[in-house]
Amino acid sequence: MLDSNIIVFNFKGRKIKLVSLSVLFIFILMWILFAFNTKTTDYGNYELFYQYANNGIRYPGLEIGYYYFTRLCTILGLNFQQFLMLYSFLGLYLIISTVLKLSKHNTAMILLFFVFFPYFHLIAVPRSFFSYSLVLYGIRYLVDNNKRSYIKFIVSVILASLFHLSSLFYLFILFIRIDKKKFNVLIFGSLVLSFVIFSSEHGFLQLISIIIPKLNVYISQGTRADTKIFLVIYYLAKICFCYFLNQYEGEYTESLYKINLLSSLIMPLALINMNFMRLEYGIIILTSIMAFNKKNIVCKQQSNLLILKSFYVVYYFI
């Protein structure tokens, strides 16, 4: 039987949803790609971190949450490969369960906008992968729009920061509840201030690096001129897409617009070093969920909406 959302077929008297089987298949595929991958650039470093944890030593600069997680795994007798199997399973569960909760046509979304990118990038950075998984899991609480849900989101982000400190950036998402005019003024002012600060020969970042030595890795090598042009075009196009989508009524349209405006604060950092673009990975997944799987967009001109989403697909893969 075929309906607008899923395919259902009978197997020995049982109705099985094809969408569920597809999600399971994709989950297993992504888990295998992560858990049994040995060719990433940082694989040797993470294996070294695990050896340190096995000896009860925290590698210098390693986040405390990641250390204690690896330490627990070593106490349980897991080797590094088994640790990756457990670690990737938990992270994928957090992400996919969030996708299923916030999405309507969830299988297509996961396949098209998660498997191809940025998942392959996240495989190479396990700490970022798990921290962004926790942040995305916390996003579900913001849908409820009450004080308790805000607290749950903040807790999720703080837990994520114990695996990668950069995830504290996502606390800015709390500002999406501000009045639209005040929000636009806040973002514009923050962008101007950011460009002024970061244009002064990285002086501000160098000052912060005294407190956070790891930041030196991010400011040691600058972004190429052609890449800077691409970054400006990337953020302008993304914000324009979300702005026009916001003209239609939907459950997430205004939140989507505000979240992507907030993500533009990553641009001044990325203009200094592309490593900061890792912060964008979580935003990309969230944007794809909300833009293509929002529940019941009310639009009299469906053709315009289709053109708008088609533009996003082309832009996304370019």
Side-chain angles (χ1 to χ4, degrees):
M1 181 177 67
L2 179 64
D3 64 23
S4 60
N5 295 321
I6 58 175
I7 298 174
V8 180
F9 61 93
N10 289 314
F11 178 73
K12 294 183 178 180
R14 285 183 165 183
K15 289 185 177 180
I16 300 177
K17 296 179 181 179
L18 186 59
V19 65
S20 301
L21 293 176
S22 301
V23 170
L24 179 61
F25 172 77
I26 294 169
F27 182 96
I28 293 173
L29 176 62
M30 291 192 294
W31 177 69
I32 291 173
L33 288 172
F34 196 127
F36 300 96
N37 180 35
T38 61
K39 299 297 182 181
T40 58
T41 53
D42 278 349
Y43 183 87
N45 291 332
Y46 279 93
E47 198 169 21
L48 181 63
F49 299 159
Y50 199 77
Q51 291 172 3
Y52 267 72
N54 191 41
N55 295 323
I57 303 172
R58 179 184 167 196
Y59 191 86
L62 196 66
E63 284 84 356
I64 193 169
Y66 183 81
Y67 165 71
Y68 279 112
F69 188 91
T70 53
R71 180 59 182 159
L72 175 62
C73 290
T74 60
I75 292 173
L76 294 174
L78 302 182
N79 59 35
F80 183 63
Q81 188 70 65
Q82 292 167 333
F83 155 74
L84 283 180
M85 293 167 65
L86 174 63
Y87 188 75
S88 57
F89 179 88
L90 293 175
L92 280 169
Y93 173 79
L94 292 174
I95 293 176
I96 292 186
S97 65
T98 302
V99 169
L100 296 177
K101 180 177 177 61
L102 299 180
S103 298
K104 190 174 182 181
H105 308 290
N106 34 56
T107 305
M109 196 316 287
I110 297 171
L111 180 62
L112 188 57
F113 295 103
F114 184 64
V115 174
F116 288 99
F117 182 87
Y119 182 68
F120 288 147
H121 292 265
L122 290 174
I123 289 175
V125 282
R127 283 160 41 238
S128 297
F129 160 76
F130 200 78
S131 67
Y132 298 161
S133 299
L134 287 167
V135 171
L136 282 168
Y137 189 83
I139 291 291
R140 64 177 63 200
Y141 298 121
L142 292 184
V143 176
D144 298 332
N145 195 19
N146 57 62
K147 290 183 179 180
R148 182 174 295 182
S149 65
Y150 295 159
I151 293 173
K152 289 179 180 178
F153 174 73
I154 292 171
V155 170
S156 298
V157 173
I158 292 174
L159 285 174
S161 71
L162 299 179
F163 287 82
H164 204 288
L165 192 61
S166 65
S167 56
L168 288 174
F169 170 83
Y170 291 100
L171 286 174
F172 281 104
I173 292 178
L174 290 170
F175 288 110
I176 65 174
R177 298 305 179 190
I178 296 177
D179 173 75
K180 198 170 183 178
K181 289 184 179 179
K182 293 179 181 178
F183 181 84
N184 289 335
V185 171
L186 174 66
I187 294 299
F188 179 76
S190 299
L191 273 175
V192 171
L193 182 62
S194 298
F195 277 113
V196 170
I197 291 174
F198 297 134
S199 63
S200 59
E201 293 297 327
H202 306 177
F204 181 71
L205 288 178
Q206 289 172 354
L207 180 63
I208 296 179
S209 67
I210 297 174
I211 304 171
I212 310 174
K214 192 188 299 184
L215 195 60
N216 285 312
V217 177
Y218 289 86
I219 62 177
S220 60
Q221 185 177 0
T223 304
R224 298 199 320 255
D226 56 336
T227 306
K228 290 180 180 180
I229 295 172
F230 166 78
L231 284 171
V232 173
I233 296 172
Y234 168 82
Y235 277 103
L236 285 175
K238 186 177 72 159
I239 291 170
C240 286
F241 166 77
C242 294
Y243 172 79
F244 287 115
L245 190 65
N246 191 35
Q247 305 309 304
Y248 303 108
E249 297 179 16
E251 186 176 350
Y252 304 134
T253 47
E254 185 172 338
S255 296
L256 177 64
Y257 171 66
K258 288 182 175 180
I259 286 172
N260 279 278
L261 268 183
L262 279 168
S263 76
S264 66
L265 296 176
I266 299 171
M267 182 171 61
L269 294 168
L271 291 173
I272 295 174
N273 190 291
M274 278 296 289
N275 280 322
F276 286 106
M277 278 299 286
R278 293 178 183 177
L279 292 169
E280 183 72 13
Y281 294 163
I283 301 294
I284 289 173
I285 298 172
L286 186 60
T287 297
S288 300
I289 295 171
M290 298 174 82
F292 282 83
N293 292 276
K294 299 184 311 301
K295 298 174 182 177
N296 304 321
I297 287 185
V298 178
C299 177
K300 295 180 180 179
Q301 297 178 313
Q302 289 293 332
S303 58
N304 290 351
L305 191 59
L306 179 61
I307 292 171
L308 189 60
K309 291 187 176 184
S310 298
F311 162 78
Y312 180 78
V313 172
V314 175
Y315 152 79
Y316 184 90
F317 283 104
I318 290 177

